[in-house]
Amino acid sequence: MDTLIKNIGQHVSLSPEEIAIFKSFWTEKTLEKGEFLLRNGEICRYDSYIVSGVLKAFCINAENGNEEILFLAIDHWWATDISSFSKQNASIYNIQAVEKTSLLQISHQSFQKMLQEIPSLERYFRIILESYLGTLEKRIVFNNMYKAEQKYYDFLDTYPDIVSRVPQYLIASYLGVSAEFISRIRKKNKSS
């Protein structure tokens, strides 16, 4: 809980009373490696903050059966299907633990009540959402305009912590390239 409060404190100030109220809304959850946080077709009932661990969000490609990675999330990041959570409708993707993952969760109803009781948190969650949207915009631009090698190097620069914790094939799926392609780039870099 302290890491989440510290994260929030970088953007908004909460009084001791507000912190106590804030803590009352959250529950802890642990996922084992391979366990699902959310499955396609389920309603996303909780927003989840990753205390420690790694999650992947993905869809299954109907043509070839492969996982198409939508996002990867590590310690101190959020992981949820924003549309499903906010509208309380069925999710179109899965979220699964890549390694044992500890989460803090808040239900949709509690989230709404928390924002009413601590209005300054609206600002914090707006900042988080703006950051997420900026990341999505960048990904769209890079996918449409840059070659695979440039996308890979940008991923390495932007997310060095993910690279060391996530299997190469998941990074390849996220970038829309083959795992073999990434292997060739790595070999090329080692020989340079």
Side-chain angles (χ1 to χ4, degrees), residues 7-184:
N7 186 296
I8 291 169
Q10 295 172 359
H11 305 285
V12 296
S13 295
L14 298 178
S15 70
E17 295 80 16
E18 288 173 324
I19 290 172
I21 293 168
F22 175 81
K23 286 181 176 183
S24 71
F25 287 106
W26 295 84
T27 58
E28 296 179 4
K29 182 176 182 83
T30 300
L31 298 175
E32 297 300 326
K33 180 179 179 178
E35 195 174 347
F36 283 83
L37 177 65
L38 179 68
R39 289 184 185 267
N40 177 16
E42 294 177 347
I43 294 172
C44 184
R45 306 260 184 224
Y46 297 91
D47 196 1
S48 298
Y49 176 81
I50 302 171
V51 176
S52 65
V54 179
L55 297 175
K56 65 179 179 179
F58 65 96
C59 293
I60 301 295
N61 184 317
E63 292 179 18
N64 60 25
N66 292 338
E67 289 182 3
E68 303 291 337
I69 301 296
L70 305 171
F71 67 78
L72 299 163
I74 60 172
D75 310 353
H76 315 299
W77 290 18
W78 293 90
T80 192
D81 177 334
I82 294 172
S83 179
S84 177
F85 181 73
S86 64
K87 296 175 184 173
Q88 290 294 280
N89 60 13
S91 176
I92 59 171
Y93 57 84
N94 305 287
I95 302 176
Q96 185 180 29
V98 174
E99 63 183 41
K100 185 173 181 177
T101 303
S102 297
L103 305 166
L104 291 172
Q105 294 188 306
I106 188 167
S107 71
H108 182 264
Q109 183 179 359
S110 292
F111 184 79
Q112 300 305 320
K113 187 174 180 192
M114 179 185 70
L115 293 180
Q116 288 175 346
E117 291 188 29
I118 312 171
S120 61
L121 287 176
E122 289 270 1
R123 180 174 188 274
Y124 170 75
F125 285 101
R126 177 184 51 80
I127 290 167
I128 296 301
L129 189 57
E130 287 171 352
S131 176
Y132 178 69
L133 289 173
T135 300
L136 286 178
E137 288 175 341
K138 180 180 177 185
R139 183 171 182 201
I140 291 167
V141 169
F142 273 54
N143 281 344
N144 291 332
M145 297 182 61
Y146 292 98
K147 295 184 188 287
E149 196 165 342
Q150 291 170 298
K151 290 191 288 187
Y152 177 69
Y153 288 128
D154 179 70
F155 186 87
L156 289 179
D157 289 341
T158 306
Y159 305 111
D161 294 335
I162 290 179
V163 173
S164 65
R165 294 177 65 187
V166 172
Q168 181 173 298
Y169 75 93
L170 293 178
I171 295 169
S173 175
Y174 176 82
L175 296 174
V177 301
S178 70
E180 295 77 17
F181 174 81
I182 291 179
S183 289
R184 284 193 304 273

